[in-house]
Amino acid sequence: MEKMIFQVTGMHCAGCAANVERSVKKLSGVSEVYVSIGSRTMELQRDPSVVTTEEILEAVRKAGFEAEVLTQENKGREVVDEEETASYFRRFLTALVFGLLLCYAAMHRMAGLPWFSTTVRADAWIQILLLIPVLIAGRRFYSSGLRTLLRLAPNMDSLIALCTGGAVVYSLFRMVRGEYGHLYFDTAGMIVALIMLGKFLESRSRRKASGAIRELMKLAPETACVVRSGSETVIPVAEVRRGDLLRVRPGDRIPVDGTVTEGASSVDESMLTGEPLPVEKTAGSRVTGGSVNCDGTLLMRAEQIGGETALARMIGMIREAQGSRPPVAALADLVSGYFVWGVIAISILTFLLWFGIGKAAFAEALEFSLSVLVVACPCALGLATPIALIAGIGRGARLGILIRNGSALETAARVDTVVFDKTGTVTEGRPDVAAVLPAAGSEVTEEELLALAGGAERHSEHPLAAAIVREAEARGIPLKTGSAFRALAGAGVSCDLDGQRLLVGSAALMRENGMDPGSAGCSESANAEVYVASDGRLLGVLLLADRIRPDAAESVRRLHAMGLSCQLLSGDTPRSAEAVARALGFDGCHAGILPGGKAELIRTLQKKGALLAMVGDGINDGPALAQADVGIAVGTGTDVAMESADMVLMRSALLDVPAALGLSRAVMRIIRENLFWAFFYNGICIPVAAGVLYAFGGPRLSPVLCAAAMACSSLFVVLNALRLKRFRG
């Protein structure tokens, strides 16, 4: 099976999405179809040997809409709906102005307002003339609504078309009979104007919710300066080829991903990773397309272009996540698919009950029926989940948190245990000298001991040797170069330095050479001890430890405040791993776990009932990240981490772990609030509009008030989701 994502245009409500979904599901070889009204996308699995892409597109066209396949090149392209165009805004203003004039013309006699000296018949014709611009401005409701109704797949536009069309037809019928009172032209006009107002405000709010993709798209430069045969030429970025040499001057955006071959500069990557400070780049450094070159001039080699760049993958990942369906949306999507038919049935039943059993006048029964049609709001149901996903996932992207799909987000909101890999995640993954301890009775100072160890290790490629040399250089200690250097595999090194025969290495190496290291290097916090001996005499020991990330303790504290258990997983010895766990306040520690055993440990914890998130570096933790209920990769976002985890923390900051889980909880809370509102609104307003309260002496809702309520309902859902834009973590 092959996963495909399509952009669908022309959809206006949840009914439209349900129609497309039903039409495509009928095709053989297609499964797991989901159409998101919020992101205007369709995601599905297809068997290429059974169904072609063109057959899927044709099924969408038969449902009355247009679609195109989303590729890496167009995943970030903004889809401009009709509501979001300037022409739509002008049509809304037209409907509003003429709708208000229409109400004035219809109400002037009743309210005693100034008016021309006209007859009631002339007033009726004036109302028709004022109504025509309103109907033209709202013609989409009729073209879409009637078309889908004839296809027996009605949507929200169908309800509006039936309601306003019924009011106009009934009013014209009364005029033909010579009756010019109780006309509903003004009702129809104001319904169209109010709903257009609601849709316009909704579309503006929806654009704010989906602004993350537009902001990322703005990062991509349109041109690049390519160096070929010694000359520089400015070309469109789309024409850059892999291997091209590109010149990036101060203030320019880096065109594509690649490696610096010449020059030095600081690069602002904040819009991609969330890191506030520029990062220094020199020859050999990786640079990412979309980041800003701050001061120096760089020459870089293009390596990832087009849809391969980290920026393009981020946009695609966000687009896919915003168009995904979390399990919580299943009920709302099922109801939305049949909602419009149910409303039409209730509207007809309302008319029959009032006109037949309730003995109401035809006009009164019609008004109740029209109120039911216009008060129902399938948009609130359809938008409840996707608009919250769009806002939440977009907010996460701005914070440097990439969320792969809605299911992962929903699961992340329910996790009760967070498992951290130690090396490279809780720690920086690079050993540093933690202490320099001269041996008892030795006359060497710390600096002298470090100078001897650094001189011996100067030409070694071992990470511990590099840490010793780095510490000596940081302290400003000059290092001499020894002679007769010999690397002792797995044990250390030996050399001649300043007339001494030095041994630098493990405790076992000391014992082999007749020296007892004793307890000189015992330390819970040390990951390794490097002993220094001269001419058979122990001079001291250097303790090395993998430095703990500065935000690790605060991250654990915040997770505890959220009610989560924190476990540490490490391949180190129990002594060093448990020391880190105690220092940071972990609830448990699992040490001595080989890379291949991490996934098995996750399975063991899951069998005990834990719903857990695994936090790792996204490379050697891949199996464990995949096994966990939610895999969270702490990485730059430019490596395999983007492909192996459910969430990617672009800034490599551990404080983003509680932020990601907190954002997941916030999004799910907004979704639940939106779903409750959508069901509550329709469950209360439809019976009230049908006259249930009025039948027992209570209030009634006019069709105009119903239109205002419907517009406010869908707007409430969108504005509630926009609260996620203020999430701070």
Side-chain angles (χ1 to χ4, degrees), residues 610-644:
L611 186 69
L612 56 86
M614 167 71 189
V615 185
D617 60 18
I619 302 173
N620 56 15
D621 298 322
L625 290 171
Q627 176 62 39
D629 298 288
V630 178
I632 302 176
V634 181
T636 62
T638 59
D639 52 22
V640 296
M642 288 191 69
E643 310 300 331
S644 63

PDB file of all heavy atoms in Angstrom, residues 610-644:
ATOM      1  N   ALA A 610       2.555   0.745  31.552  1.00  0.00           N
ATOM      2  CA  ALA A 610       2.980   2.133  31.341  1.00  0.00           C
ATOM      3  C   ALA A 610       2.635   2.585  29.928  1.00  0.00           C
ATOM      4  O   ALA A 610       2.827   1.846  28.964  1.00  0.00           O
ATOM      5  CB  ALA A 610       4.479   2.267  31.578  1.00  0.00           C
ATOM      6  N   LEU A 611       2.103   3.790  29.813  1.00  0.00           N
ATOM      7  CA  LEU A 611       1.936   4.453  28.519  1.00  0.00           C
ATOM      8  C   LEU A 611       3.059   5.480  28.452  1.00  0.00           C
ATOM      9  O   LEU A 611       3.023   6.477  29.172  1.00  0.00           O
ATOM     10  CB  LEU A 611       0.569   5.135  28.423  1.00  0.00           C
ATOM     11  CG  LEU A 611       0.216   5.748  27.074  1.00  0.00           C
ATOM     12  CD1 LEU A 611      -0.009   4.661  26.040  1.00  0.00           C
ATOM     13  CD2 LEU A 611      -1.013   6.633  27.180  1.00  0.00           C
ATOM     14  N   LEU A 612       4.056   5.214  27.624  1.00  0.00           N
ATOM     15  CA  LEU A 612       5.283   5.990  27.800  1.00  0.00           C
ATOM     16  C   LEU A 612       5.766   6.691  26.537  1.00  0.00           C
ATOM     17  O   LEU A 612       5.477   6.287  25.414  1.00  0.00           O
ATOM     18  CB  LEU A 612       6.404   5.105  28.360  1.00  0.00           C
ATOM     19  CG  LEU A 612       6.799   3.839  27.616  1.00  0.00           C
ATOM     20  CD1 LEU A 612       7.817   4.160  26.543  1.00  0.00           C
ATOM     21  CD2 LEU A 612       7.383   2.837  28.596  1.00  0.00           C
ATOM     22  N   ALA A 613       6.522   7.737  26.811  1.00  0.00           N
ATOM     23  CA  ALA A 613       7.246   8.470  25.774  1.00  0.00           C
ATOM     24  C   ALA A 613       8.725   8.181  25.961  1.00  0.00           C
ATOM     25  O   ALA A 613       9.222   8.141  27.088  1.00  0.00           O
ATOM     26  CB  ALA A 613       6.983   9.969  25.883  1.00  0.00           C
ATOM     27  N   MET A 614       9.412   7.951  24.858  1.00  0.00           N
ATOM     28  CA  MET A 614      10.855   7.704  24.891  1.00  0.00           C
ATOM     29  C   MET A 614      11.569   8.913  24.305  1.00  0.00           C
ATOM     30  O   MET A 614      11.228   9.363  23.204  1.00  0.00           O
ATOM     31  CB  MET A 614      11.177   6.450  24.072  1.00  0.00           C
ATOM     32  CG  MET A 614      12.651   6.250  23.766  1.00  0.00           C
ATOM     33  SD  MET A 614      13.606   5.795  25.232  1.00  0.00           S
ATOM     34  CE  MET A 614      15.282   5.904  24.610  1.00  0.00           C
ATOM     35  N   VAL A 615      12.536   9.443  25.040  1.00  0.00           N
ATOM     36  CA  VAL A 615      13.299  10.610  24.590  1.00  0.00           C
ATOM     37  C   VAL A 615      14.716  10.162  24.277  1.00  0.00           C
ATOM     38  O   VAL A 615      15.427   9.665  25.158  1.00  0.00           O
ATOM     39  CB  VAL A 615      13.319  11.718  25.660  1.00  0.00           C
ATOM     40  CG1 VAL A 615      14.019  12.960  25.113  1.00  0.00           C
ATOM     41  CG2 VAL A 615      11.912  12.059  26.114  1.00  0.00           C
ATOM     42  N   GLY A 616      15.119  10.294  23.005  1.00  0.00           N
ATOM     43  CA  GLY A 616      16.453   9.883  22.592  1.00  0.00           C
ATOM     44  C   GLY A 616      16.985  10.776  21.501  1.00  0.00           C
ATOM     45  O   GLY A 616      16.345  11.763  21.119  1.00  0.00           O
ATOM     46  N   ASP A 617      18.183  10.414  20.984  1.00  0.00           N
ATOM     47  CA  ASP A 617      18.814  11.278  19.991  1.00  0.00           C
ATOM     48  C   ASP A 617      18.384  10.968  18.571  1.00  0.00           C
ATOM     49  O   ASP A 617      18.819  11.617  17.634  1.00  0.00           O
ATOM     50  CB  ASP A 617      20.345  11.219  20.106  1.00  0.00           C
ATOM     51  CG  ASP A 617      20.892   9.810  19.896  1.00  0.00           C
ATOM     52  OD1 ASP A 617      20.177   8.970  19.337  1.00  0.00           O
ATOM     53  OD2 ASP A 617      22.049   9.568  20.283  1.00  0.00           O
ATOM     54  N   GLY A 618      17.522   9.971  18.366  1.00  0.00           N
ATOM     55  CA  GLY A 618      16.964   9.720  17.046  1.00  0.00           C
ATOM     56  C   GLY A 618      17.853   8.934  16.121  1.00  0.00           C
ATOM     57  O   GLY A 618      17.475   8.657  15.001  1.00  0.00           O
ATOM     58  N   ILE A 619      19.046   8.525  16.574  1.00  0.00           N
ATOM     59  CA  ILE A 619      19.954   7.771  15.703  1.00  0.00           C
ATOM     60  C   ILE A 619      20.089   6.353  16.246  1.00  0.00           C
ATOM     61  O   ILE A 619      19.431   5.435  15.783  1.00  0.00           O
ATOM     62  CB  ILE A 619      21.316   8.481  15.589  1.00  0.00           C
ATOM     63  CG1 ILE A 619      21.092   9.909  15.052  1.00  0.00           C
ATOM     64  CG2 ILE A 619      22.256   7.721  14.669  1.00  0.00           C
ATOM     65  CD1 ILE A 619      22.337  10.752  15.067  1.00  0.00           C
ATOM     66  N   ASN A 620      20.930   6.155  17.292  1.00  0.00           N
ATOM     67  CA  ASN A 620      21.061   4.804  17.823  1.00  0.00           C
ATOM     68  C   ASN A 620      19.902   4.405  18.729  1.00  0.00           C
ATOM     69  O   ASN A 620      19.821   3.259  19.171  1.00  0.00           O
ATOM     70  CB  ASN A 620      22.397   4.633  18.576  1.00  0.00           C
ATOM     71  CG  ASN A 620      22.550   5.664  19.685  1.00  0.00           C
ATOM     72  OD1 ASN A 620      21.594   6.320  20.083  1.00  0.00           O
ATOM     73  ND2 ASN A 620      23.768   5.808  20.174  1.00  0.00           N
ATOM     74  N   ASP A 621      19.002   5.335  19.013  1.00  0.00           N
ATOM     75  CA  ASP A 621      17.822   5.014  19.805  1.00  0.00           C
ATOM     76  C   ASP A 621      16.615   4.708  18.925  1.00  0.00           C
ATOM     77  O   ASP A 621      15.491   4.627  19.420  1.00  0.00           O
ATOM     78  CB  ASP A 621      17.473   6.187  20.745  1.00  0.00           C
ATOM     79  CG  ASP A 621      18.587   6.465  21.739  1.00  0.00           C
ATOM     80  OD1 ASP A 621      19.202   5.496  22.211  1.00  0.00           O
ATOM     81  OD2 ASP A 621      18.843   7.639  22.028  1.00  0.00           O
ATOM     82  N   GLY A 622      16.824   4.567  17.614  1.00  0.00           N
ATOM     83  CA  GLY A 622      15.719   4.378  16.679  1.00  0.00           C
ATOM     84  C   GLY A 622      14.751   3.285  17.052  1.00  0.00           C
ATOM     85  O   GLY A 622      13.530   3.506  17.100  1.00  0.00           O
ATOM     86  N   PRO A 623      15.207   2.033  17.348  1.00  0.00           N
ATOM     87  CA  PRO A 623      14.263   0.962  17.702  1.00  0.00           C
ATOM     88  C   PRO A 623      13.438   1.279  18.945  1.00  0.00           C
ATOM     89  O   PRO A 623      12.243   0.970  19.000  1.00  0.00           O
ATOM     90  CB  PRO A 623      15.175  -0.250  17.926  1.00  0.00           C
ATOM     91  CG  PRO A 623      16.394   0.040  17.103  1.00  0.00           C
ATOM     92  CD  PRO A 623      16.581   1.524  17.192  1.00  0.00           C
ATOM     93  N   ALA A 624      14.075   1.879  19.945  1.00  0.00           N
ATOM     94  CA  ALA A 624      13.346   2.220  21.170  1.00  0.00           C
ATOM     95  C   ALA A 624      12.331   3.328  20.912  1.00  0.00           C
ATOM     96  O   ALA A 624      11.213   3.309  21.443  1.00  0.00           O
ATOM     97  CB  ALA A 624      14.324   2.648  22.265  1.00  0.00           C
ATOM     98  N   LEU A 625      12.699   4.313  20.099  1.00  0.00           N
ATOM     99  CA  LEU A 625      11.767   5.392  19.751  1.00  0.00           C
ATOM    100  C   LEU A 625      10.556   4.830  19.014  1.00  0.00           C
ATOM    101  O   LEU A 625       9.421   5.262  19.228  1.00  0.00           O
ATOM    102  CB  LEU A 625      12.469   6.437  18.877  1.00  0.00           C
ATOM    103  CG  LEU A 625      13.525   7.311  19.556  1.00  0.00           C
ATOM    104  CD1 LEU A 625      14.275   8.136  18.522  1.00  0.00           C
ATOM    105  CD2 LEU A 625      12.885   8.229  20.592  1.00  0.00           C
ATOM    106  N   ALA A 626      10.799   3.856  18.147  1.00  0.00           N
ATOM    107  CA  ALA A 626       9.697   3.262  17.392  1.00  0.00           C
ATOM    108  C   ALA A 626       8.817   2.403  18.292  1.00  0.00           C
ATOM    109  O   ALA A 626       7.592   2.347  18.112  1.00  0.00           O
ATOM    110  CB  ALA A 626      10.246   2.428  16.239  1.00  0.00           C
ATOM    111  N   GLN A 627       9.402   1.718  19.275  1.00  0.00           N
ATOM    112  CA  GLN A 627       8.635   0.845  20.161  1.00  0.00           C
ATOM    113  C   GLN A 627       7.784   1.639  21.144  1.00  0.00           C
ATOM    114  O   GLN A 627       6.689   1.216  21.512  1.00  0.00           O
ATOM    115  CB  GLN A 627       9.592  -0.069  20.940  1.00  0.00           C
ATOM    116  CG  GLN A 627       8.925  -0.962  21.974  1.00  0.00           C
ATOM    117  CD  GLN A 627       7.932  -1.925  21.354  1.00  0.00           C
ATOM    118  OE1 GLN A 627       8.170  -2.458  20.280  1.00  0.00           O
ATOM    119  NE2 GLN A 627       6.810  -2.144  22.022  1.00  0.00           N
ATOM    120  N   ALA A 628       8.268   2.797  21.566  1.00  0.00           N
ATOM    121  CA  ALA A 628       7.536   3.604  22.545  1.00  0.00           C
ATOM    122  C   ALA A 628       6.197   4.063  21.987  1.00  0.00           C
ATOM    123  O   ALA A 628       6.003   4.141  20.777  1.00  0.00           O
ATOM    124  CB  ALA A 628       8.381   4.812  22.952  1.00  0.00           C
ATOM    125  N   ASP A 629       5.254   4.355  22.890  1.00  0.00           N
ATOM    126  CA  ASP A 629       3.952   4.874  22.454  1.00  0.00           C
ATOM    127  C   ASP A 629       4.133   6.215  21.752  1.00  0.00           C
ATOM    128  O   ASP A 629       3.424   6.517  20.790  1.00  0.00           O
ATOM    129  CB  ASP A 629       3.029   5.019  23.666  1.00  0.00           C
ATOM    130  CG  ASP A 629       2.766   3.686  24.340  1.00  0.00           C
ATOM    131  OD1 ASP A 629       2.036   2.864  23.760  1.00  0.00           O
ATOM    132  OD2 ASP A 629       3.324   3.463  25.428  1.00  0.00           O
ATOM    133  N   VAL A 630       5.086   7.015  22.240  1.00  0.00           N
ATOM    134  CA  VAL A 630       5.451   8.273  21.586  1.00  0.00           C
ATOM    135  C   VAL A 630       6.964   8.380  21.585  1.00  0.00           C
ATOM    136  O   VAL A 630       7.587   8.336  22.655  1.00  0.00           O
ATOM    137  CB  VAL A 630       4.843   9.498  22.306  1.00  0.00           C
ATOM    138  CG1 VAL A 630       5.287  10.787  21.623  1.00  0.00           C
ATOM    139  CG2 VAL A 630       3.336   9.419  22.343  1.00  0.00           C
ATOM    140  N   GLY A 631       7.573   8.487  20.416  1.00  0.00           N
ATOM    141  CA  GLY A 631       9.011   8.678  20.319  1.00  0.00           C
ATOM    142  C   GLY A 631       9.336  10.147  20.157  1.00  0.00           C
ATOM    143  O   GLY A 631       8.802  10.811  19.267  1.00  0.00           O
ATOM    144  N   ILE A 632      10.205  10.665  21.035  1.00  0.00           N
ATOM    145  CA  ILE A 632      10.587  12.077  20.988  1.00  0.00           C
ATOM    146  C   ILE A 632      12.085  12.151  20.720  1.00  0.00           C
ATOM    147  O   ILE A 632      12.895  11.714  21.538  1.00  0.00           O
ATOM    148  CB  ILE A 632      10.247  12.799  22.308  1.00  0.00           C
ATOM    149  CG1 ILE A 632       8.751  12.675  22.618  1.00  0.00           C
ATOM    150  CG2 ILE A 632      10.653  14.265  22.236  1.00  0.00           C
ATOM    151  CD1 ILE A 632       8.346  13.289  23.948  1.00  0.00           C
ATOM    152  N   ALA A 633      12.464  12.677  19.568  1.00  0.00           N
ATOM    153  CA  ALA A 633      13.871  12.779  19.188  1.00  0.00           C
ATOM    154  C   ALA A 633      14.405  14.156  19.517  1.00  0.00           C
ATOM    155  O   ALA A 633      13.823  15.167  19.118  1.00  0.00           O
ATOM    156  CB  ALA A 633      14.049  12.486  17.695  1.00  0.00           C
ATOM    157  N   VAL A 634      15.498  14.203  20.267  1.00  0.00           N
ATOM    158  CA  VAL A 634      16.174  15.459  20.567  1.00  0.00           C
ATOM    159  C   VAL A 634      17.296  15.595  19.556  1.00  0.00           C
ATOM    160  O   VAL A 634      18.301  14.918  19.624  1.00  0.00           O
ATOM    161  CB  VAL A 634      16.738  15.459  21.999  1.00  0.00           C
ATOM    162  CG1 VAL A 634      17.420  16.782  22.301  1.00  0.00           C
ATOM    163  CG2 VAL A 634      15.623  15.202  22.996  1.00  0.00           C
ATOM    164  N   GLY A 635      17.117  16.444  18.559  1.00  0.00           N
ATOM    165  CA  GLY A 635      18.118  16.562  17.502  1.00  0.00           C
ATOM    166  C   GLY A 635      17.965  17.845  16.736  1.00  0.00           C
ATOM    167  O   GLY A 635      17.103  18.674  17.026  1.00  0.00           O
ATOM    168  N   THR A 636      18.797  18.012  15.720  1.00  0.00           N
ATOM    169  CA  THR A 636      18.784  19.247  14.952  1.00  0.00           C
ATOM    170  C   THR A 636      17.669  19.289  13.935  1.00  0.00           C
ATOM    171  O   THR A 636      17.386  20.330  13.363  1.00  0.00           O
ATOM    172  CB  THR A 636      20.110  19.413  14.196  1.00  0.00           C
ATOM    173  OG1 THR A 636      20.239  18.320  13.269  1.00  0.00           O
ATOM    174  CG2 THR A 636      21.285  19.394  15.150  1.00  0.00           C
ATOM    175  N   GLY A 637      17.052  18.152  13.672  1.00  0.00           N
ATOM    176  CA  GLY A 637      16.001  18.122  12.664  1.00  0.00           C
ATOM    177  C   GLY A 637      16.539  17.962  11.261  1.00  0.00           C
ATOM    178  O   GLY A 637      15.764  17.924  10.316  1.00  0.00           O
ATOM    179  N   THR A 638      17.861  17.855  11.096  1.00  0.00           N
ATOM    180  CA  THR A 638      18.422  17.709   9.760  1.00  0.00           C
ATOM    181  C   THR A 638      18.943  16.298   9.512  1.00  0.00           C
ATOM    182  O   THR A 638      19.539  16.035   8.496  1.00  0.00           O
ATOM    183  CB  THR A 638      19.574  18.705   9.556  1.00  0.00           C
ATOM    184  OG1 THR A 638      20.582  18.455  10.542  1.00  0.00           O
ATOM    185  CG2 THR A 638      19.074  20.127   9.677  1.00  0.00           C
ATOM    186  N   ASP A 639      18.750  15.386  10.486  1.00  0.00           N
ATOM    187  CA  ASP A 639      19.230  14.018  10.328  1.00  0.00           C
ATOM    188  C   ASP A 639      18.053  13.053  10.364  1.00  0.00           C
ATOM    189  O   ASP A 639      16.902  13.433  10.190  1.00  0.00           O
ATOM    190  CB  ASP A 639      20.276  13.682  11.404  1.00  0.00           C
ATOM    191  CG  ASP A 639      19.761  13.999  12.802  1.00  0.00           C
ATOM    192  OD1 ASP A 639      18.530  14.069  12.965  1.00  0.00           O
ATOM    193  OD2 ASP A 639      20.572  14.176  13.716  1.00  0.00           O
ATOM    194  N   VAL A 640      18.367  11.779  10.633  1.00  0.00           N
ATOM    195  CA  VAL A 640      17.317  10.761  10.607  1.00  0.00           C
ATOM    196  C   VAL A 640      16.295  10.938  11.717  1.00  0.00           C
ATOM    197  O   VAL A 640      15.273  10.252  11.726  1.00  0.00           O
ATOM    198  CB  VAL A 640      17.934   9.351  10.702  1.00  0.00           C
ATOM    199  CG1 VAL A 640      18.791   9.045   9.526  1.00  0.00           C
ATOM    200  CG2 VAL A 640      18.721   9.184  12.007  1.00  0.00           C
ATOM    201  N   ALA A 641      16.558  11.833  12.671  1.00  0.00           N
ATOM    202  CA  ALA A 641      15.587  12.069  13.731  1.00  0.00           C
ATOM    203  C   ALA A 641      14.238  12.474  13.172  1.00  0.00           C
ATOM    204  O   ALA A 641      13.191  12.129  13.711  1.00  0.00           O
ATOM    205  CB  ALA A 641      16.099  13.151  14.689  1.00  0.00           C
ATOM    206  N   MET A 642      14.238  13.225  12.085  1.00  0.00           N
ATOM    207  CA  MET A 642      12.987  13.678  11.492  1.00  0.00           C
ATOM    208  C   MET A 642      12.176  12.522  10.923  1.00  0.00           C
ATOM    209  O   MET A 642      10.986  12.645  10.685  1.00  0.00           O
ATOM    210  CB  MET A 642      13.248  14.713  10.398  1.00  0.00           C
ATOM    211  CG  MET A 642      13.702  16.050  10.930  1.00  0.00           C
ATOM    212  SD  MET A 642      13.703  17.343   9.670  1.00  0.00           S
ATOM    213  CE  MET A 642      11.958  17.551   9.363  1.00  0.00           C
ATOM    214  N   GLU A 643      12.836  11.389  10.666  1.00  0.00           N
ATOM    215  CA  GLU A 643      12.144  10.254  10.072  1.00  0.00           C
ATOM    216  C   GLU A 643      11.811   9.177  11.092  1.00  0.00           C
ATOM    217  O   GLU A 643      11.006   8.291  10.808  1.00  0.00           O
ATOM    218  CB  GLU A 643      13.015   9.636   8.961  1.00  0.00           C
ATOM    219  CG  GLU A 643      13.549  10.636   7.949  1.00  0.00           C
ATOM    220  CD  GLU A 643      12.441  11.367   7.222  1.00  0.00           C
ATOM    221  OE1 GLU A 643      11.354  10.779   7.062  1.00  0.00           O
ATOM    222  OE2 GLU A 643      12.661  12.514   6.812  1.00  0.00           O
ATOM    223  N   SER A 644      12.437   9.202  12.283  1.00  0.00           N
ATOM    224  CA  SER A 644      12.322   8.064  13.191  1.00  0.00           C
ATOM    225  C   SER A 644      11.436   8.303  14.391  1.00  0.00           C
ATOM    226  O   SER A 644      11.183   7.370  15.144  1.00  0.00           O
ATOM    227  CB  SER A 644      13.721   7.665  13.683  1.00  0.00           C
ATOM    228  OG  SER A 644      14.291   8.714  14.428  1.00  0.00           O
TER     229      SER A 644
END
